[in-house]
């Protein structure tokens, strides 16, 4: 029965995968055993992570509609003094409509790129002069306020950094092994 044999092949491949991951785990333990990251290595990793963090968080509102013409019309109404919140409640297809388009606080990485790029260009209290297109539709965005991002204190995340440092050291060790390995091709 062909399916039975195929099943054996799959389980054989699965067995090989389990064996390889067990070997990798053993190698990881052997390489990292007794080599706890130093305070300097932990601090360097923490500093690198903090440097990658966005420098600010944003509090914004938006109105989400299906077409550009509608979004442009809403901007024209806001230009004439219409309430952003009122227009959001009446027109936005997003769940935030009930809150007047309020999205609360977020970091740029939490939003789709076109949206986060637009928010970062705005001044507090201003709104986008042209609609912003994303995969969800057309946005009219108003920036309410910004605040600097506060990284977690080193001592609070130190325990989580250790495994990251160990993993990086292991990967560097593997790279070194591979670069020194002689590969001979059997003809």
């Amino acid at each position: 029965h062909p399916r039975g044999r195929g099943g054996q092949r799959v389980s054989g491949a699965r067995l090989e995968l389990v064996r390889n991951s067990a070997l990798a785990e053993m190698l990881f333990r052997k390489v990292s055993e007794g080599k706890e990251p130093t305070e300097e290595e932990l601090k360097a990793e923490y500093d690198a992570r903090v440097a990658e963090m966005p420098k600010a968080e944003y509090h914004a509102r938006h109105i989400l509609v299906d077409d550009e013409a509608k979004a442009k019309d809403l901007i024209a109404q806001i230009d004439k003094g219409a309430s952003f919140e009122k227009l959001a409640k009446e027109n936005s297809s997003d769940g935030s409509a009930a809150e007047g388009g309020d999205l609360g606080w977020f970091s740029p990485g939490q939003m789709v790129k076109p949206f986060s790029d637009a928010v970062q260009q705005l001044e507090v209290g201003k709104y986008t002069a042209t609609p912003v297109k994303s995969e969800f539709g057309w946005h009219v965005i108003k920036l309410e306020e910004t605040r600097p991002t506060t990284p977690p204190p080193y001592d609070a995340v130190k325990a989580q950094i250790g495994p990251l440092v160990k993993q990086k050291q292991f990967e560097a060790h593997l790279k070194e092994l591979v670069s020194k390995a002689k590969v001979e091709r059997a003809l």
Side-chain angles (χ1 to χ4, degrees):
H1 189 272
R3 243 187 331 179
R5 261 186 268 134
Q8 287 173 341
R9 269 202 303 273
V10 167
S11 59
R14 195 174 293 139
L15 205 76
E16 187 62 23
L17 194 65
V18 168
R19 195 174 78 82
N20 286 341
S21 64
L23 286 171
E25 181 63 31
M26 274 173 47
L27 181 60
F28 177 75
R29 259 191 256 124
K30 190 174 191 306
V31 168
S32 58
E33 204 173 7
K35 291 184 185 164
E36 287 307 312
T38 65
E39 194 65 26
E40 289 77 26
E41 289 168 332
L42 292 172
K43 192 81 172 82
E45 183 67 23
Y46 172 79
D47 291 341
R49 297 280 166 154
V50 167
E52 289 169 6
M53 282 178 68
K55 302 293 174 251
E57 290 179 311
Y58 300 86
H59 175 203
R61 293 178 183 274
H62 80 146
I63 306 170
L64 178 65
V65 292
D66 292 336
D67 70 285
E68 187 179 14
K70 174 81 171 160
K72 284 182 174 177
D73 176 55
L74 290 168
I75 290 170
Q77 290 182 53
I78 298 165
D79 286 342
K80 292 177 187 155
S83 160
F84 192 101
E85 291 82 354
K86 189 171 183 291
L87 289 178
K89 280 180 182 173
E90 293 168 358
N91 298 279
S92 188
S93 62
D94 182 64
S96 67
E99 307 297 323
D102 195 346
L103 296 167
W105 286 98
F106 56 88
S107 66
Q110 292 175 287
M111 298 295 179
V112 289
K113 189 165 172 31
F115 189 99
S116 64
D117 287 350
V119 164
Q120 291 176 78
Q121 301 302 314
L122 284 172
E123 288 177 40
V124 172
K126 303 286 186 200
Y127 53 91
T128 50
T130 55
V132 176
K133 183 161 181 26
S134 82
E135 62 201 70
F136 301 107
W138 295 90
H139 305 263
V140 180
I141 307 165
K142 180 183 179 190
L143 180 61
E144 294 288 349
E145 51 188 326
T146 65
R147 65 183 179 198
T149 305
T150 310
Y154 171 68
D155 289 333
V157 292
K158 183 178 171 180
Q160 296 158 353
I161 296 171
L164 296 172
V165 172
K166 274 189 166 184
Q167 185 65 35
K168 276 188 175 177
Q169 289 170 339
F170 178 62
E171 286 166 11
H173 180 72
L174 281 184
K175 253 190 189 158
E176 193 181 331
L177 287 177
V178 170
S179 70
K180 287 180 181 175
K182 279 187 184 169
V183 177
E184 291 177 13
R185 212 174 252 188
L187 296 173

